[in-house]
Amino acid sequence: MDYSPVIATVAAQPIAAVAARVRAEDLGQVVFGALERVHVALRTGDYGPYWGDVVLCEGEDDGVQSLRIGVGVARRFPGLGPVAPWITPGGAAIQVTHLGAWSERGRAHSAVRDAAPRLGRRLTGVHWEVHGLFDLAARTRPTDIFYEADHD
Protein backbone atom coordinates (compact mmCIF):
# COMPACT_ATOMS: atom_id res chain seq x y z
CA MET A 1 0.00 0.00 0.00
CA ASP A 2 1.25 3.48 -0.86
CA TYR A 3 0.94 6.08 1.87
CA SER A 4 0.69 9.84 1.45
CA PRO A 5 1.19 11.45 4.87
CA VAL A 6 -0.26 14.94 5.26
CA ILE A 7 -0.05 17.71 7.83
CA ALA A 8 -3.29 17.93 9.78
CA THR A 9 -4.59 20.14 12.57
CA VAL A 10 -6.26 17.91 15.12
CA ALA A 11 -8.46 18.75 18.08
CA ALA A 12 -7.72 17.30 21.49
CA GLN A 13 -10.43 14.77 22.26
CA PRO A 14 -11.42 12.87 25.41
CA ILE A 15 -10.73 9.17 25.81
CA ALA A 16 -11.26 6.62 28.57
CA ALA A 17 -7.97 4.75 28.87
CA VAL A 18 -5.66 2.53 30.86
CA ALA A 19 -1.93 3.16 31.15
CA ALA A 20 0.57 0.49 30.13
CA ARG A 21 4.28 0.10 29.52
CA VAL A 22 4.76 -2.39 26.71
CA ARG A 23 7.51 -4.00 24.64
CA ALA A 24 6.78 -4.35 20.90
CA GLU A 25 6.50 -8.14 21.06
CA ASP A 26 3.70 -7.86 23.67
CA LEU A 27 1.79 -5.02 22.02
CA GLY A 28 -1.12 -6.96 20.51
CA GLN A 29 -1.88 -8.96 23.65
CA VAL A 30 -1.69 -5.91 25.92
CA VAL A 31 -3.68 -3.62 23.61
CA PHE A 32 -6.56 -6.04 23.05
CA GLY A 33 -6.75 -6.92 26.76
CA ALA A 34 -6.75 -3.26 27.76
CA LEU A 35 -9.44 -2.37 25.23
CA GLU A 36 -11.67 -5.10 26.66
CA ARG A 37 -11.27 -3.60 30.17
CA VAL A 38 -12.09 -0.11 28.87
CA HIS A 39 -15.18 -1.28 26.98
CA VAL A 40 -16.42 -3.03 30.15
CA ALA A 41 -15.94 0.18 32.18
CA LEU A 42 -17.78 2.25 29.56
CA ARG A 43 -20.85 0.04 29.91
CA THR A 44 -21.39 1.66 33.35
CA GLY A 45 -22.65 4.91 31.80
CA ASP A 46 -23.55 6.85 28.70
CA TYR A 47 -20.31 8.25 27.27
CA GLY A 48 -21.01 7.68 23.57
CA PRO A 49 -21.10 7.96 20.76
CA TYR A 50 -17.69 6.36 20.67
CA TRP A 51 -15.36 7.53 17.91
CA GLY A 52 -12.78 4.74 17.87
CA ASP A 53 -10.32 2.63 19.79
CA VAL A 54 -7.21 4.68 20.57
CA VAL A 55 -3.61 3.68 21.28
CA LEU A 56 -1.58 6.73 22.33
CA CYS A 57 2.20 6.38 22.69
CA GLU A 58 3.60 9.09 24.96
CA GLY A 59 7.22 7.99 24.58
CA GLU A 60 9.62 5.09 24.40
CA ASP A 61 12.53 4.16 26.65
CA ASP A 62 14.84 1.18 25.96
CA GLY A 63 12.25 -0.45 23.69
CA VAL A 64 9.40 -0.04 26.17
CA GLN A 65 6.54 2.19 25.04
CA SER A 66 4.47 4.26 27.49
CA LEU A 67 0.90 3.89 26.26
CA ARG A 68 -2.62 5.06 26.96
CA ILE A 69 -4.97 2.45 25.51
CA GLY A 70 -8.61 3.38 25.32
CA VAL A 71 -11.76 4.43 23.59
CA GLY A 72 -12.72 7.84 22.23
CA VAL A 73 -15.76 9.16 24.09
CA ALA A 74 -18.22 11.97 23.43
CA ARG A 75 -17.85 13.46 26.91
CA ARG A 76 -15.20 13.21 29.60
CA PHE A 77 -15.16 9.85 31.38
CA PRO A 78 -14.92 10.30 35.20
CA GLY A 79 -12.73 7.24 35.74
CA LEU A 80 -13.41 3.78 37.11
CA GLY A 81 -10.64 1.72 38.69
CA PRO A 82 -7.65 1.60 36.31
CA VAL A 83 -9.68 3.20 33.49
CA ALA A 84 -9.04 6.94 33.66
CA PRO A 85 -9.97 10.05 31.70
CA TRP A 86 -7.38 11.22 29.23
CA ILE A 87 -7.16 13.55 26.24
CA THR A 88 -5.48 13.04 22.88
CA PRO A 89 -2.99 15.70 21.78
CA GLY A 90 -4.24 18.67 19.82
CA GLY A 91 -2.50 20.82 17.25
CA ALA A 92 -0.24 19.99 14.30
CA ALA A 93 0.25 16.35 13.41
CA ILE A 94 1.34 14.30 10.44
CA GLN A 95 -1.47 11.89 9.56
CA VAL A 96 -1.85 8.85 7.37
CA THR A 97 -4.56 6.18 7.08
CA HIS A 98 -3.74 2.47 7.02
CA LEU A 99 -6.21 0.05 5.44
CA GLY A 100 -5.19 -3.52 5.96
CA ALA A 101 -4.08 -6.00 8.57
CA TRP A 102 -3.29 -4.60 12.02
CA SER A 103 0.04 -6.43 11.90
CA GLU A 104 1.07 -4.48 8.77
CA ARG A 105 0.47 -0.96 10.04
CA GLY A 106 4.20 -0.51 10.79
CA ARG A 107 4.71 0.54 7.16
CA ALA A 108 2.31 3.44 7.70
CA HIS A 109 4.29 4.51 10.78
CA SER A 110 7.51 4.37 8.73
CA ALA A 111 5.89 6.47 5.99
CA VAL A 112 5.09 9.23 8.49
CA ARG A 113 8.58 9.19 10.03
CA ASP A 114 10.13 9.32 6.55
CA ALA A 115 7.83 12.16 5.42
CA ALA A 116 8.44 14.47 8.40
CA PRO A 117 11.66 16.12 7.08
CA ARG A 118 10.16 16.49 3.59
CA LEU A 119 7.13 18.21 5.16
CA GLY A 120 9.38 20.50 7.22
CA ARG A 121 8.32 18.98 10.53
CA ARG A 122 10.07 17.56 13.58
CA LEU A 123 8.33 14.68 15.34
CA THR A 124 7.94 15.07 19.11
CA GLY A 125 7.84 11.34 19.87
CA VAL A 126 4.13 11.36 20.73
CA HIS A 127 1.95 9.43 18.31
CA TRP A 128 -1.41 7.68 18.31
CA GLU A 129 -3.64 5.40 16.32
CA VAL A 130 -7.41 5.65 16.00
CA HIS A 131 -8.97 2.37 14.91
CA GLY A 132 -12.28 2.76 13.11
CA LEU A 133 -15.10 0.28 12.68
CA PHE A 134 -14.37 -3.04 11.02
CA ASP A 135 -15.82 -3.25 7.50
CA LEU A 136 -16.94 -6.86 7.26
CA ALA A 137 -17.45 -6.76 3.47
CA ALA A 138 -13.98 -5.32 2.78
CA ARG A 139 -12.43 -7.19 5.74
CA THR A 140 -10.57 -4.04 6.76
CA ARG A 141 -10.50 -1.68 9.71
CA PRO A 142 -9.22 1.79 8.90
CA THR A 143 -6.48 2.98 11.22
CA ASP A 144 -5.70 6.69 11.30
CA ILE A 145 -2.15 7.25 12.50
CA PHE A 146 -1.06 10.62 13.87
CA TYR A 147 2.39 11.89 14.90
CA GLU A 148 2.59 15.13 16.84
CA ALA A 149 4.84 17.45 14.83
CA ASP A 150 6.50 20.83 15.33
CA HIS A 151 7.96 23.06 12.63
CA ASP A 152 11.59 22.27 11.85
Side-chain angles (χ1 to χ4, degrees):
M1 176 176 212
D2 283 334
Y3 295 103
S4 299
V6 297
I7 298 170
T9 301
V10 295
Q13 296 190 24
I15 63 174
V18 296
R21 291 190 40 80
V22 182
R23 290 199 172 281
E25 61 268 18
D26 300 323
L27 191 61
Q29 178 183 351
V30 172
V31 166
F32 294 118
L35 286 172
E36 178 61 29
R37 288 193 307 277
V38 173
H39 281 281
V40 167
L42 289 175
R43 289 185 197 120
T44 65
D46 181 18
Y47 305 104
Y50 306 113
W51 49 268
D53 292 339
V54 179
V55 179
L56 168 65
C57 179
E58 299 175 304
E60 186 172 337
D61 184 32
D62 289 332
V64 178
Q65 294 182 347
S66 296
L67 302 179
R68 298 287 173 167
I69 304 164
V71 175
V73 292
R75 60 195 125 298
R76 194 166 170 90
F77 178 74
L80 181 63
V83 182
W86 205 252
I87 297 175
T88 62
I94 299 177
Q95 186 266 329
V96 71
T97 299
H98 170 71
L99 294 172
W102 189 80
S103 62
E104 296 174 6
R105 74 200 189 296
R107 293 187 338 219
H109 283 271
S110 294
V112 171
R113 290 190 298 270
D114 292 346
R118 181 175 36 80
L119 294 171
R121 300 299 170 130
R122 181 187 60 80
L123 302 179
T124 68
V126 175
H127 60 276
W128 64 103
E129 299 177 352
V130 178
H131 303 272
L133 296 175
F134 187 76
D135 181 339
L136 193 54
R139 305 207 39 79
T140 62
R141 184 178 193 193
T143 302
D144 289 315
I145 298 170
F146 300 89
Y147 275 71
E148 190 176 59
D150 294 331
H151 287 283
D152 248 353

